[in-house]
Amino acid sequence: METVKPWILFFSTLLLSHIFILTTLAEGVTPEEAKLLRDEVRGMFYHAFDGYMKNAFPLDELRPLSCEGEDTLGGYSLTLIDSLDMLALLGDREQFATSVEWIGKNLRFDINKTVSVFETTIRILGGLLSAHLIASDYATGMKIPSYDNQLLHLAEDLARRLLPAFDTPTGIPFGSVNLLHGVDEHESKITSTAGGGTLTLEFGVLSRLTNDPIFEQVTKNAVRGLWARRSKLNLVGAHINVFTGEWTQKDAGIGTSIDSFYEYLLKMAYLLFGDEEYLFIFQEAYGAAMYYLYNDPWYVEVNMDSAAIVWPLFNSLQAFWPGLQVLAGDIDPAIRTHTAFYSVWKRYGFTPEGFNLATQSVQHGQKSYPLRPELMESTYWLYKATRNPRYLDAGRDMVTSLQYVARCPCGYCHISDVEIHKQEDHMESFFLAETVKYLWLLFDLAAGSDNLVENGPYKYIFSTEGHLLPATPQISLVQEHCSYFGAYCNNDSRQDYRTLDLLTDHQENKSRLYGGWDPSSSLSDNTFPKPLSISGSIKGLCPGLTHGQKFGISYLASTKKKTSEGESTSQTEATAVPTQSAVIVSNPDAESTGQQEITVVQSHSLVVVSNPEVEVLQPDDKNNLDNDQELIEEGLESDPSQEIDEGA
């Protein structure tokens, strides 16, 4: 008799344990207790922030055990910039104004420092833009009278110093750039998918504030460059060569090195900019992720070409996913996955960087918890969507762990080993930018919220670093898109905002966003999953061409060809249509007659059309977990190659 695979048995037992967890939670948090917890989290923020300002400022980050500072990113007061919008959220006018004034007078970026494009964008550029939008607007209640756009000027200067990183054949940026000299000639040509595809929000907002389209253009080209090189299963890998476009790590997942790529597709799409191209890409990417990566309630990593399971691993960066699903309107799987992820927190008091689903233990070499915010973020969004008190109980457990285990003399410490709760002398800036922010918002919402996010003049999108980006008319209403968050289409065609289909198709309604996606369909045809619905976010949808008509984006089918030097490179079986060309689409009304009416729509700078002679893979049925035992056993002998994106 064949033995039951241990990690499949684990799935079953853990699902049963989830039921037990949900029925045996502590007594629900009352509104009075929620106020106390909110105030406790506020105290946590100031314990860490004051510790940084007293012992580490103006260096980047705090060493909370030794009460010293260290430069970790670029030497430009990282933690202060990352904390600005949290100060505003707490209503601390004095400290917010003082900090903005100091940064405006003292911060400069003409320094000989090589910095991460990804981390600098999400932490520094995002922090400056968020604070600028708060400090310059009377409607926020935090306007600084003496403020004269100093942070915006700094943000623009910084972004221009990052632009040389985008000068690659693929449009995908280098991972690092020198702020004074540009890209070093010996800079690595390998970057992560998250690193290349998580820049659109910050750069897009900057383009709208400066009326300079270059920032948004380069980041959109980067996303297109990544998506054009997706597999025929609509999956993307973890690392790619920015010159050749070859994937150097083909592990597809929703966590390490990929996570925020998915996040920004949706947030950039309809939630802030109303860009339908991003929404179309998100729907296809999300549908593929739910089909190939989702093993209810967990997510695994698979080979992007074959969908063979590479690693049955929960890594802590995956914990953002349920929150993203809330924004996408896919609540049911979000609830189940959050329950699974939270069970790991309950087991150890924290989420380790890696938890092996096969061995039911912390993954070797991934035992730390660096104060990550992802589980808190999803907890906040699920409570906001459901008002289920279980999420307040979860938040209370998280506060307890941080207070009793991670708190140290001048701040909060990394936990280097979640099994023995060993402290490490480091505190990432995102602890103040995100971790305590989402906990504070969670309990403030339960206590009767009165803050900028819940009751302010705008709806806010959170960047992947937790920075507040408002859907103001200047940012959201461009290029004749619909008016979002309270306004309507130009033709005043008013629709029910409570449940709005974002695509105009007539397929049978499905219970999930990915329910209508056919994995056996060719990527070159205009089929895509049933659209999501979003509650209370969008009030109108301007009529026009469908996403498939506008954005029939084909993948870059590649074959191996030896170069003169003997190196293997990717040869694109595609036709590149140059700038100013037209995109040719079919009239859907003519399909039934077999005739095609040619419609010309606005083109992009480069449209990639796949070669019809290239064979399109018809993927098999969804892989069952027990079909890959041999591969899993081989993988268990050594750790997967993982690169942790600290700020994602």
Side-chain angles (χ1 to χ4, degrees), residues 315-531:
N315 70 67
S316 59
L317 287 173
Q318 293 178 356
F320 87 101
W321 191 259
L324 184 67
Q325 290 180 307
V326 170
L327 295 176
D330 205 8
I331 304 294
D332 289 343
I335 292 173
R336 294 195 297 275
T337 294
H338 180 277
T339 301
F341 292 172
Y342 176 54
S343 71
V344 178
W345 181 285
K346 291 281 287 184
R347 181 170 178 175
Y348 298 105
F350 303 99
T351 47
E353 289 292 75
F355 180 78
N356 193 302
L357 302 177
T359 62
Q360 308 175 37
S361 62
V362 177
Q363 177 64 28
H364 178 70
Q366 299 184 33
K367 295 185 176 184
S368 66
Y369 170 68
L371 304 176
R372 289 201 185 279
E374 285 77 15
L375 190 60
M376 290 77 167
E377 177 184 6
S378 289
T379 302
Y380 162 69
W381 282 115
L382 276 165
Y383 179 72
K384 189 170 185 177
T386 67
R387 292 303 196 273
N388 192 314
R390 78 174 70 160
Y391 299 112
L392 298 177
D393 294 330
R396 179 172 56 188
D397 285 345
M398 296 169 193
V399 169
T400 300
S401 293
L402 291 168
Q403 288 286 64
Y404 284 94
V405 181
R407 189 179 178 107
C408 45
C410 296
Y412 290 82
C413 291
H414 281 200
I415 304 302
S416 60
D417 189 328
V418 299
E419 293 181 306
I420 61 175
H421 289 178
K422 181 180 179 181
Q423 292 183 339
E424 180 181 343
D425 194 14
H426 187 62
M427 186 181 79
E428 291 276 2
S429 67
F430 58 67
F431 178 74
L432 295 175
E434 300 181 83
T435 306
V436 293
K437 179 180 291 173
Y438 287 118
L439 286 172
W440 187 85
L441 286 168
L442 170 68
F443 295 118
D444 188 61
L445 188 60
S449 59
D450 183 18
N451 63 67
L452 190 62
V453 171
E454 305 297 343
N455 299 317
Y458 315 111
K459 295 295 184 181
Y460 284 86
I461 296 300
F462 293 88
S463 74
T464 196
E465 186 72 6
H467 291 307
L468 308 179
L469 300 175
T472 64
Q474 183 182 11
I475 293 174
S476 293
L477 310 185
V478 294
Q479 299 176 354
E480 298 182 357
H481 281 299
C482 297
S483 302
Y484 300 102
F485 304 112
Y488 298 88
C489 296
N490 291 337
N491 63 4
D492 203 32
S493 174
R494 304 194 174 196
Q495 303 184 30
D496 184 358
Y497 70 89
R498 290 171 297 175
T499 306
L500 174 65
D501 286 339
L502 302 185
L503 294 179
T504 53
D505 65 35
H506 306 286
Q507 299 176 2
E508 180 182 355
N509 185 35
K510 303 291 183 180
S511 61
R512 291 183 184 174
L513 170 63
Y514 57 90
W517 183 68
D518 180 8
S520 64
S521 64
S522 166
L523 296 180
S524 61
D525 62 26
N526 291 328
T527 59
F528 35 81
K530 180 66 182 174

Side-chain angles (χ1 to χ4, degrees), residues 126-137:
L128 291 173
L129 290 172
S130 177
H132 160 74
L133 289 162
I134 295 171
S136 61
D137 191 344

Side-chain angles (χ1 to χ4, degrees), residues 285-300:
Y286 182 81
M290 295 302 290
Y291 191 84
Y292 292 110
L293 308 180
Y294 184 45
N295 289 275
D296 195 349
W298 303 94
Y299 291 81
V300 295

